[in-house]
Amino acid sequence: MAQDEFSLIRQWTSRSNGQEGDGLTVGIGDDAAVFTPAHEMEVVACCDAMTETVHFLKETMKPADIGYKAVISNISDIAAMGGIARYALISIAVSPNWTKDEYEQIYDGIYEACEQYGVRVIGGDTVSSPVSLHLSVTVLGEVEKGRAIRRSQASPGQLVFVTGHVGSSAAGLDLLLNQERQEGEAGGQELIAAHQRPAAQINAGRLLQASEACGALNDVSDGLASELWEIAEASDVRIVVEVDHIPILEAARTYARQRGKDPLDWALYGGEDYQLVGTIEADSLADLSGRFAEQYIPFTVIGRVEAQGTAVVIAREGQRKVLPKAGFNHFGHVDGERG
């Protein structure tokens, strides 16, 4: 890519709302940004990367969707800690297979997501890539000191819950990969939106953090099965999930029937739903259900935490079996490429 095009990309990264003020003491323009957390808060940080053909395909994601989703995946990690997303750093490896207009659209999506969640872009980097586009986003946030919600705090007697619905993103990807099915597919646009434009559950995370009733928490990025296993292993507990309680959109169930697939596979192993899964004290259920209802956030209890050993077990009609530890794994994933 020519030098003048790199200059354009640097201009796009500088379309920032990261001016100094409100805790940001040095914004874009120096070697690094400087910020001060709000009083009684501490920094929570995460980084996530998206690589062409591994995490997305041009056939299934518009450039703006790629930028938007890269930001959302990081904000979702902040939500899973009960925090507030504040700042973003954007690094991109540009490929000659993409046009200037496409790169500009990627940044359109980045800034759209940042503006939607009140995040300020405070820096980044641009390098070249010989073949595939690579986009990496770091998000810095805040959470009350000593109050970050962790995976390791599940305990016996707690209930297991999930927000929203799971499996929708994987259903949307399947629909996008089967172009002939998109036209007139009932509920298709809802499923496609779930894949291309997911929502980060910041409000749900803050509600859980304020309640002080949440034990462990995780975001559903690699599939519900994987996230449950992470909680079980970090907390050294046995989690039992009632299969029939897992919330799956009716549009996903309908589409799965048409495709001859089991929507439960999408829910357990599809990933990229960016909902929250975690545990709560049993005696807090009525209060928390009411709080979530007031915010119009779907909240479903899907199981419970037991003491016997480290495992995730699925139950249906009195029958139990260990849930296979699977999901998206970059070094041996089971479900094909993401898109």
Side-chain angles (χ1 to χ4, degrees), residues 161-165 200-208 275-276 288-300:
F161 72 89
V162 66
T163 65
H165 299 84
Q201 301 302 313
I202 285 286
N203 290 341
R206 293 300 290 165
L207 191 157
L208 290 162
Q275 297 296 331
L276 298 181
L288 274 174
S289 295
R291 295 191 193 190
F292 272 85
E294 288 173 359
Q295 297 294 320
Y296 301 100
I297 302 172
F299 177 87
T300 306

Side-chain angles (χ1 to χ4, degrees), residues 234-312:
S235 301
D236 191 22
V237 294
R238 182 182 183 90
I239 292 174
V240 179
V241 174
E242 298 290 340
V243 170
D244 293 336
H245 293 176
I246 295 174
I248 301 174
L249 279 176
E250 187 56 39
R253 294 183 185 277
T254 300
Y255 178 61
R257 285 194 295 270
Q258 294 170 354
R259 292 279 289 138
K261 294 179 177 287
D262 185 350
L264 186 61
D265 287 338
W266 289 334
L268 292 173
Y269 303 116
E272 294 191 340
D273 290 301
Y274 300 115
Q275 297 296 331
L276 298 181
V277 60
T279 67
I280 58 168
E281 298 298 336
D283 60 6
S284 70
L285 177 58
D287 177 62
L288 274 174
S289 295
R291 295 191 193 190
F292 272 85
E294 288 173 359
Q295 297 294 320
Y296 301 100
I297 302 172
F299 177 87
T300 306
V301 171
I302 61 172
R304 58 196 177 278
V305 182
E306 296 182 347
Q308 309 99 319
T310 300
V312 179

Side-chain angles (χ1 to χ4, degrees), residues 40-336:
E40 296 300 322
M41 304 288 274
E42 56 188 355
V43 175
V44 54
C46 61
C47 179
D48 205 2
M50 293 179 67
T51 299
E52 185 179 358
T53 73
V54 177
H55 299 94
F56 63 87
L57 303 169
K58 273 192 170 184
E59 293 79 9
T60 61
M61 297 281 284
K62 299 182 181 68
D65 297 331
I66 295 166
Y68 186 93
K69 194 168 183 177
V71 172
I72 292 300
S73 67
N74 282 273
I75 295 177
S76 181
D77 286 333
I78 301 292
M81 304 296 290
I84 305 167
R86 294 285 306 276
Y87 307 110
L89 299 160
I90 312 296
S91 293
I92 188 168
V94 299
S95 161
N97 298 324
W98 293 66
T99 68
K100 288 188 294 182
D101 286 344
E102 287 172 327
Y103 283 116
E104 186 165 8
Q105 291 167 38
I106 288 172
Y107 281 99
D108 286 342
I110 287 170
Y111 284 108
E112 182 181 349
C114 286
E115 289 168 8
Q116 182 175 339
Y117 289 88
V119 173
R120 301 161 73 183
V121 178
I122 59 173
D125 193 18
T126 304
V127 297
S128 62
S129 170
V131 180
S132 300
L133 183 147
H134 177 86
L135 180 62
S136 178
V137 178
T138 297
V139 170
L140 306 171
E142 296 176 341
V143 68
E144 287 78 0
K145 288 183 179 179
R147 297 272 306 281
I149 308 175
R150 304 175 64 180
R151 296 171 179 167
S152 58
Q153 302 304 306
S155 60
Q158 292 180 339
L159 302 177
V160 179
F161 72 89
V162 66
T163 65
H165 299 84
V166 287
S168 305
S169 176
L173 174 59
D174 188 274
L175 184 56
L176 286 162
L177 291 172
N178 289 272
Q179 300 286 338
E180 72 279 1
R181 294 180 174 272
Q182 290 184 41
E183 290 296 328
E185 190 71 48
Q189 289 307 308
E190 184 178 13
L191 299 177
I192 289 172
H195 181 71
Q196 295 178 336
R197 292 292 178 120
Q201 301 302 313
I202 285 286
N203 290 341
R206 293 300 290 165
L207 191 157
L208 290 162
Q209 195 273 345
S211 75
E212 299 187 13
C214 186
L217 194 61
N218 220 352
D219 78 318
V220 185
S221 55
D222 295 325
L224 186 61
S226 175
E227 315 306 345
L228 288 167
W229 268 103
E230 287 181 346
I231 292 173
E233 292 177 335
S235 301
D236 191 22
V237 294
R238 182 182 183 90
I239 292 174
V240 179
V241 174
E242 298 290 340
V243 170
D244 293 336
H245 293 176
I246 295 174
I248 301 174
L249 279 176
E250 187 56 39
R253 294 183 185 277
T254 300
Y255 178 61
R257 285 194 295 270
Q258 294 170 354
R259 292 279 289 138
K261 294 179 177 287
D262 185 350
L264 186 61
D265 287 338
W266 289 334
L268 292 173
Y269 303 116
E272 294 191 340
D273 290 301
Y274 300 115
Q275 297 296 331
L276 298 181
V277 60
T279 67
I280 58 168
E281 298 298 336
D283 60 6
S284 70
L285 177 58
D287 177 62
L288 274 174
S289 295
R291 295 191 193 190
F292 272 85
E294 288 173 359
Q295 297 294 320
Y296 301 100
I297 302 172
F299 177 87
T300 306
V301 171
I302 61 172
R304 58 196 177 278
V305 182
E306 296 182 347
Q308 309 99 319
T310 300
V312 179
V313 173
I314 54 173
R316 174 181 276 166
E317 297 178 352
Q319 300 296 313
R320 289 185 173 195
K321 68 176 181 179
V322 174
L323 180 65
K325 187 193 299 185
F328 187 81
N329 182 314
H330 296 277
F331 301 98
H333 50 280
V334 298
D335 295 314

